[in-house]
């Protein structure tokens, strides 16, 4: 069944208006997100500036860096990173130091300064290995694998990919809630498969790509690009039926997403398979359909015309062959690319037609540019093809020289292939051996676990019996599991509510400060306007909002959720305190400044001072006692 090309329709004016409206809505949405992000960043900076030099300050700075990094990793971000490293060194917090080195490495990777990036990630690894921070090591190994993949240092890619996988296999040593560092495991396997594919180690490539597919499927992630890779590997292995199956699945996924570039790439891959299967008409149809979708890319179009020309050549359609090759040739010239393959193909065409001078001209070019690109495979093919031309010309000496050059290059490729196959077998053996060791370790752990359970059951059997013991152990395990999960959830909820409480308090303080400022300006304007009633109405409205109890009720709700039982304990310990005293105690417990407290309570700084003095008396504190410490201790 032949695939029907996707039609690309032009938008009419009505559609253009709809598109403009959607773009406008999207722009407004982005502006709103930016405003919220800026507010969050300002809040973090405010908290950071108020903190003393300890691990909390280091963690806050790390959050600021993380926030800025994923929005705008500029020079200011770099300064924060360097500040994190220095602060963490001063307070002797190794995790902060390693995090700083990691961020510096990622910063330089964003700038594409890969050597510097690798240096700082390795510094992070050195710190994390010393303190046995396995979660940090997992992040570092993944980052280094990505860096070396970008810089095409594939030996290092394999080294750090395997270190990442080893950590995953021993992930039980990392706290459960921190297993998110392995969410990139599928990408690690996918990159490994790509390296092995480039090296011609197709069995290893296939094995790692299957692991990537399994991980992505289990985690409900996108698999289209994995299936495309699987199709390419199966094609290289000569498993054409499997290759076409994977390509068809990938193509259907791209079509559903209206990804015409992806569809075109898959059709080109399918065309390659049908060329190998000698179904040249089907291959030509696929190449031409792909070309319809890729008219925007001259280089891709040139490759497709080259493939089409090869199919026509094998079908003995001379006119279509040379027309296709010339189209490819002109397109390569347009993009200023000297492509040895097209020169070789044109040379072979003229050799077939016995136009030997023309054949020799183009095959000379094929050899010249293959050797300049150090492309051994194309050089070998071009020497063999030129050998045939010299033989037809009767120049047997030169034909012999070319045949020798072809044989030497072919033998070199053969030896390299054999070396790769031997290396592949060694890696497969080492991998299987390691997997067997892991399986043996898991079995030993299971045996020890079983023995431990049997021993526990034997002890419990004397008192309760086997059945009761088993149920009791299982129930205890389930309860602990539920308690642990509940505790983790409670900690996360508390952290979230604490942030909400801090944000609400700071917002309330800022709002009251602004309202008071407007109020003072309104009073001044009222005086100049000779008692205009409009200004008085504005002042009354502001006073009403400043005294609105709803603001405090919202704050009080957040406070009670974070500091459960605080009010009850305070009233029990200090029966004389009033509701206003409780408000002041809540704000002091949050470590707010006197200015922020004044703004929230809508009183002056002197008023805050007097209120604190009255509170000290009611709490019966000595002059040497700290009001803040006494309140925090409640």
């Amino acid at each position: 069944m032949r695939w029907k090309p996707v039609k690309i329709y032009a938008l009419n004016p009505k559609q253009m208006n709809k598109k403009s409206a959607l773009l406008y809505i999207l722009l407004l949405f982005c502006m709103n997100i930016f405003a919220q992000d800026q507010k969050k960043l300002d809040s973090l900076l405010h908290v950071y500036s108020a903190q003393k030099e300890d691990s909390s300050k280091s963690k806050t700075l790390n959050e600021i860096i993380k926030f800025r990094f994923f929005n705008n990793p500029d020079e200011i971000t770099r300064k924060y990173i360097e500040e994190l490293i220095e602060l963490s060194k001063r307070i002797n917090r190794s995790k902060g130091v390693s995090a700083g080195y990691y961020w510096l490495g990622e910063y330089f990777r964003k700038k594409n300064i890969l050597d510097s990036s690798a240096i700082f990630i390795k510094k992070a690894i050195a710190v994390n290995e010393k303190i046995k921070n396995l979660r940090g090591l997992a992040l570092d190994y993944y980052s280094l694998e990505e860096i070396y993949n970008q810089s095409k240092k594939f030996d290092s890619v394999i080294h750090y990919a395997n270190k990442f996988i080893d950590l995953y296999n021993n992930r039980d040593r990392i706290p459960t809630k921190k297993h998110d560092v392995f969410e990139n495991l599928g990408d690690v396997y996918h990159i490994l498969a790509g390296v092995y594919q480039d090296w011609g180690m197709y069995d290893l490539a296939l094995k790692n790509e299957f692991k990537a597919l399994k991980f992505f499927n289990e985690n409900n992630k996108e698999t289209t690009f994995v299936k495309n890779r699987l199709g390419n590997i199966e094609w290289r292995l000569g498993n054409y039926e499997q290759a076409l199956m994977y390509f068809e699945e990938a193509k259907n996924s791209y079509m559903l997403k209206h990804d015409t570039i992806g569809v075109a790439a898959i059709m080109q891959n399918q065309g390659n398979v049908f060329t190998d299967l000698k179904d040249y008409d089907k291959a030509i149809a696929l190449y031409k359909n792909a070309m319809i979708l890729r008219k925007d890319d001259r280089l891709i179009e040139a490759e497709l015309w080259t493939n089409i020309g090869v199919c026509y050549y094998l079908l003995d359609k001379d006119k279509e062959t040379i027309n296709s090759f010339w189209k490819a040739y002109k397109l390569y010239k347009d993009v200023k690319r000297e492509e040895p393959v097209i020169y070789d193909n044109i040379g072979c065409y003229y050799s077939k037609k016995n136009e030997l001078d023309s054949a020799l001209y183009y095959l000379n070019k094929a050899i010249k540019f293959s050797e300049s690109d150090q492309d051994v495979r194309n050089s070998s093919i071009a020497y063999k093809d030129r050998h045939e031309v010299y033989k037809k010309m009767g120049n047997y000496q030169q034909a012999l020289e070319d045949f020798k050059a072809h044989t030497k290059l072919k033998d070199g490729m053969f030896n390299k292939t054999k070396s790769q196959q031997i290396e592949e077998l060694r890696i497969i053996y080492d991998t299987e051996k390691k997997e067997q060791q892991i399986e043996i370790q898991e079995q030993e752990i299971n045996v020890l676990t079983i023995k431990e359970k049997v021993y526990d059951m034997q002890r419990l059997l004397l008192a309760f019996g086997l059945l009761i013991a088993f149920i009791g152990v299982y129930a205890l395990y389930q309860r602990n599991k539920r308690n642990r999960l509940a505790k983790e959830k409670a900690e996360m909820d508390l952290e979230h509510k604490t942030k909400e409480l801090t944000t609400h308090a700071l917002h309330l303080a800022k709002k009251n400060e602004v309202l008071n400022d407007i109020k003072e300006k309104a009073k001044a304007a009222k005086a100049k306007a000779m008692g205009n009633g409009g200004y008085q109405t504005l002042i009354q409205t502001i006073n009403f909002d400043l005294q609105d109890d709803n603001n405090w009720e919202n704050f009080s709700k957040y406070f009670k959720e974070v500091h459960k039982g605080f009010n009850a304990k305070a009233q029990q310990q200090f029966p004389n305190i009033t509701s206003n005293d409780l408000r002041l105690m809540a704000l002091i417990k949050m470590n707010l400044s006197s200015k922020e407290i004044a703004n929230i309570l809508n009183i002056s700084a002197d008023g805050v001072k007097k209120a604190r003095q009255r509170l000290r008396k009611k709490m019966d504190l000595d002059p040497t006692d700290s009001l803040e410490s006494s309140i925090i201790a409640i």
Side-chain angles (χ1 to χ4, degrees), residues 1 25 51 96 145 164 211 251 290 454 472 474 517 623 627 630:
M1 184 177 178
I25 292 169
Q51 288 177 308
E145 183 215 27
F164 183 90
K211 288 180 179 179
K251 185 173 73 176
V454 169
Y474 182 76
D517 186 52
L627 178 62
S630 300

Side-chain angles (χ1 to χ4, degrees), residues 38 410 619:
Q38 188 60 44
K410 187 178 179 181
M619 292 175 67

Side-chain angles (χ1 to χ4, degrees), residues 190-214:
H190 181 68
I191 291 170
L192 264 181
V195 173
Y196 289 131
Q197 183 185 10
D198 289 344
W199 284 356
M201 298 180 178
Y202 299 120
D203 287 332
L204 273 173
L206 195 63
K207 185 175 182 180
N208 281 281
E209 202 63 56
F210 276 135
K211 288 180 179 179
L213 181 64
K214 180 183 177 184

Side-chain angles (χ1 to χ4, degrees), residues 351-366:
S351 176
K352 180 182 177 183
K353 303 295 289 182
N354 282 319
E355 297 179 29
L356 302 181
D357 289 335
S358 296
L360 197 59
Y361 172 78
Y362 286 104
L363 289 170
N364 286 338
K365 278 182 167 288

